[in-house]
Amino acid sequence: MQDTDEVSELTALMKAIDRSNAIIEFTATGEIIKANDLFLQSLGYRLDEIQGKHHRIFVDPAHAATPEYGAFWEGLRQGQFFASEFLRLGKGGREVWLQATYNPVLDADGQVQKVIKLATDITARKQAATLDAGFIDAIEKSMAVIEFQTDGTILTANDLFLERMGYSLEELQGKHHRLFVSAEYAASADYRQFWFDLAQGKFYRGRFERFAKNGDSVWLEATYSPILDDHGRPVKVVKFAYDITANVAQSEALEIALAEAREAERIRNELDRAVQEMSTPVTPIWEGILLLPLVGVLDSMRTSDIMNKSLTMISEMRAKVFVLDISGVATVDTAVANQLIKITKATRLMGCEAIVSGLSPAIARTIVELGVNVGEIRTTATLRDAFETALHLVGEVIGGRKEPAVLAPRA
Amino acid sequence: MLAGSLMNPSHDTAVAMTRTRRVLVVTMQPDLDQERFDRLRLAAMAEVGHERLAAVVLDFSAVDVLSLAEFERARDLLVALRLLGLQVAMVSLAPSVVLYLTEVQADTEGVRYFRGLDEALRRFGQD
């Protein structure tokens, strides 16, 4: 009765193993006897395709030809047990990673009767691990990486980090992160808070100024990533960093250059404004009378400025008369004459009388010779004459007030 | 202070006209399109036909922006009124408007221009 129970228990156990493991049986020399469904499924074969064939169909032919492979089966024949991760080839040459044990089964004489292989397909895990390893390798090659305990004690650092900061790994291991920061910052509450936060699992990212062994300032674009255990507790902190010292230096240089350019532009604008003010000094010289003495060259741009300022002043001061003195204008040609006509015409539209003074006999002759139609522009030879006329127009005489002359804007 | 009456012959809110003795003052609106201007013109002409007026003044003090077409419409109205024997004027053109009219070489002849309405009224003997 007890034997029956044991047999039942063993049968149940075998069934459980069969359900959860890929199992294949070989002769002591490696020929396949049988395999369960999981094994066949993992390797992509049907049983009749592999039965009677040698184990070497699952390995790379080059590997099958090596002394190691021969020694492997010799060891099994000797009753040696093997357990490891094995790369095997499925149907069509597909790579399959198996976590497997090769178990020699001995007969009553102690001779190896057969070999049972119990395996688990770990291909997906291996591929993920390979991918992760690739990522880590790529990060290691391109970024400076350093690992700390959660209190800031240095665990390890990669070559890029060591090279940039000028330390050997031995010089850093066991030291604290404060080695890389200024004494002021290391003693600050901010710095204590920084490591307190990291120890609590807080992630930091940003630009950090650190100091190399030789004292040089090094700017790092970095992340401080707390690594959590299975219970979500921070166990260490990994810092990934790019050296951006050159960029920061460039940015600073650019900012300085921009600030200088802005200052230069401000000064230039001030100068322009001052020059403009000086070039169009529209001045109230009497109640209702504005004077603009023009000096130098009169071009279309300057005319536009003069017009702008003059019209605004006429409006603001409610001027009745606008005296434009051209004694200082170098030459009067057709263009200049036309510009003057333009100004006086605009002045008239504001309801203000314009007088152009300072016309020398030579200029008057030139205007006539050029055939410029000055229309009904009121002109005088001297500024004095213009002023007298202007006073008359606004109803003033020197030394007393008289009735204003009737302004008769031309229709 | 204007001593006159506010008129709106057609009860049209787009047309604001004031008669001070023999001077008709038309306050120009900032958004006077062709249709509104036609109503203004008709109202002004009607007023001129009914009353013995000496002058018509267009007051632009409320106008900051004026197109060439709008200015020409206003000027044409005044020139037409002048042919009827009236004195005509525009007052209070903004510097920016004057600058624009000068730049586009608008024809400004045939109309008198004053800095403000008071000056125009004084000139036309209505003070």
Side-chain angles (χ1 to χ4, degrees):
Chain A
M1 190 66 187
Q2 194 181 352
D3 288 347
T4 309
D5 288 346
E6 281 180 4
V7 169
S8 298
E9 196 176 323
L10 279 172
T11 305
L13 184 62
M14 285 305 293
K15 279 184 179 172
I17 292 171
D18 188 61
R19 275 198 303 272
S20 58
N21 286 271
I23 303 172
I24 185 169
E25 291 181 23
F26 303 94
T27 64
T29 54
E31 281 77 29
I32 298 161
I33 302 168
K34 64 177 180 177
N36 73 351
D37 288 344
L38 268 182
F39 187 90
L40 294 169
Q41 199 178 323
S42 295
L43 277 293
Y45 284 106
R46 292 193 315 273
L47 182 59
D48 62 315
E49 290 177 310
I50 59 173
Q51 219 161 18
K53 295 192 177 159
H54 193 270
H55 171 269
R56 70 173 64 89
I57 66 167
F58 300 131
V59 301
D60 183 52
H63 177 61
T66 60
E68 288 79 18
Y69 185 70
F72 172 71
W73 275 103
E74 185 54 36
L76 288 170
R77 271 195 297 277
Q78 298 298 319
Q80 207 174 333
F81 166 87
F82 287 95
S84 186
E85 292 175 353
F86 298 95
L87 175 62
R88 297 295 180 239
L89 298 180
K91 190 174 180 180
R94 179 171 56 88
E95 288 190 348
V96 179
W97 278 93
L98 297 173
Q99 174 83 50
T101 58
Y102 287 82
N103 309 280
V105 178
L106 309 181
D107 62 13
D109 300 328
Q111 296 298 308
V112 173
Q113 186 190 1
K114 59 182 178 180
V115 174
I116 298 178
K117 175 182 179 179
L118 299 176
T120 305
D121 187 347
I122 57 166
T123 308
R125 182 162 61 81
K126 277 298 256 192
Q127 284 173 341
T130 304
L131 203 60
D132 287 349
F135 274 129
I136 291 167
D137 189 47
I139 289 169
E140 286 272 335
K141 281 177 182 163
S142 59
M143 299 182 83
V145 184
I146 183 167
E147 293 180 21
F148 305 92
Q149 290 177 7
T150 53
D151 65 354
T153 304
I154 297 163
L155 294 169
T156 187
N158 73 350
D159 290 343
L160 275 180
F161 188 92
L162 297 171
E163 188 184 330
R164 186 63 194 91
M165 302 306 279
Y167 290 98
S168 68
L169 184 58
E170 293 70 32
E171 287 176 298
L172 291 181
Q173 275 177 323
K175 302 277 175 53
H176 193 270
H177 172 268
R178 70 174 64 89
L179 198 67
F180 306 125
V181 302
S182 67
E184 292 84 353
Y185 180 51
S188 69
D190 282 351
Y191 186 68
R192 281 194 297 279
Q193 185 67 42
F194 175 69
W195 276 104
F196 178 80
D197 288 343
L198 287 172
Q200 300 301 308
K202 185 175 172 184
F203 172 86
Y204 272 92
R205 179 172 62 192
R207 289 181 165 195
F208 301 92
E209 186 184 22
R210 300 293 181 243
F211 295 93
K213 187 179 178 182
N214 61 7
D216 284 352
S217 169
V218 178
W219 280 92
L220 299 175
E221 179 83 50
T223 59
Y224 287 82
S225 311
I227 305 296
L228 311 179
D229 66 10
D230 293 340
H231 303 288
R233 289 183 299 241
V235 288
K236 64 179 178 179
V237 175
V238 181
K239 173 183 179 178
F240 298 98
Y242 281 114
D243 180 6
I244 55 163
T245 309
N247 297 1
V248 171
Q250 274 180 350
S251 296
E252 283 174 356
L254 189 63
E255 270 183 32
I256 291 168
L258 280 173
E260 286 173 353
R262 275 194 295 269
E263 178 63 10
E265 190 179 345
R266 190 186 64 74
I267 292 169
R268 192 168 56 247
N269 286 341
E270 273 183 14
L271 279 173
D272 285 349
R273 207 162 34 246
V275 167
Q276 196 183 349
E277 288 292 322
M278 284 188 285
S279 65
T280 54
V282 182
T283 315
I285 54 170
W286 201 270
E287 191 181 331
I289 303 174
L290 289 177
L291 170 66
L292 172 59
L294 286 177
V295 177
V297 178
L298 199 62
D299 57 18
S300 59
M301 183 173 279
R302 194 170 170 213
T303 307
S304 177
D305 287 342
I306 290 168
M307 195 113 78
N308 254 324
K309 192 162 179 199
S310 301
L311 295 181
T312 305
M313 285 288 277
I314 288 168
S315 174
E316 285 174 0
M317 307 295 294
R318 293 187 58 77
K320 280 185 178 175
V321 185
F322 180 61
V323 179
L324 199 61
D325 184 62
I326 61 166
S327 312
V329 174
T331 53
V332 173
D333 53 16
T334 311
V336 172
N338 284 331
Q339 303 288 13
L340 291 174
I341 290 167
K342 213 169 161 183
I343 294 171
T344 54
K345 194 174 173 182
T347 306
R348 216 174 67 232
L349 289 179
M350 298 290 293
C352 179
E353 190 71 15
I355 303 172
V356 179
S357 71
L359 265 80
S360 65
I363 287 177
R365 196 172 58 247
T366 306
I367 289 175
V368 172
E369 282 171 6
L370 289 171
V372 176
N373 179 14
V374 293
E376 296 179 37
I377 296 177
R378 200 186 288 263
T379 55
T380 63
T382 64
L383 181 57
R384 185 182 184 284
D385 293 342
F387 189 43
E388 226 175 72
T389 308
L391 285 174
H392 175 71
L393 288 171
V394 296
E396 298 277 354
V397 288
I398 305 292
R401 181 177 284 268
K402 70 168 192 179
E403 283 302 306
V406 173
L407 281 177
R410 291 165 183 80
Chain B
M1 183 87 178
L2 295 177
S5 59
L6 186 68
M7 299 178 309
N8 195 342
S10 59
H11 301 288
D12 191 339
T13 53
V15 180
M17 294 192 296
T18 310
R19 200 182 70 240
T20 306
R21 295 190 185 170
R22 296 183 63 205
V23 178
L24 181 68
V25 178
V26 181
T27 305
M28 303 301 285
Q29 304 299 311
D31 50 353
L32 209 60
D33 56 20
Q34 177 72 57
E35 189 194 334
R36 288 180 173 199
F37 188 82
D38 286 345
R39 296 210 299 268
L40 182 149
R41 184 169 51 79
L42 288 173
M45 286 296 193
E47 190 66 19
V48 168
H50 289 122
E51 305 290 334
R52 280 187 64 245
L53 294 172
V56 175
V57 175
L58 301 188
D59 180 6
F60 285 88
S61 55
V63 179
D64 291 326
V65 180
L66 190 68
S67 72
L68 180 60
E70 288 166 339
F71 174 78
E72 283 176 342
R73 280 201 292 266
R75 179 183 161 275
D76 289 348
L77 170 65
L78 292 182
V79 170
L81 291 170
R82 188 165 158 243
L83 292 176
L84 297 175
L86 294 163
Q87 297 191 82
V88 293
M90 292 186 187
V91 302
S92 301
L93 283 171
S96 56
V97 170
V98 170
L99 202 60
Y100 167 71
L101 294 175
T102 310
E103 288 302 328
V104 297
Q105 299 185 331
D107 185 356
T108 59
E109 297 303 315
V111 178
R112 292 177 179 178
Y113 300 90
F114 294 95
R115 292 172 304 169
L117 185 56
D118 52 344
E119 200 168 285
L121 292 176
R122 197 159 50 240
R123 172 69 189 94
F124 295 135
Q126 299 299 313
D127 209 6

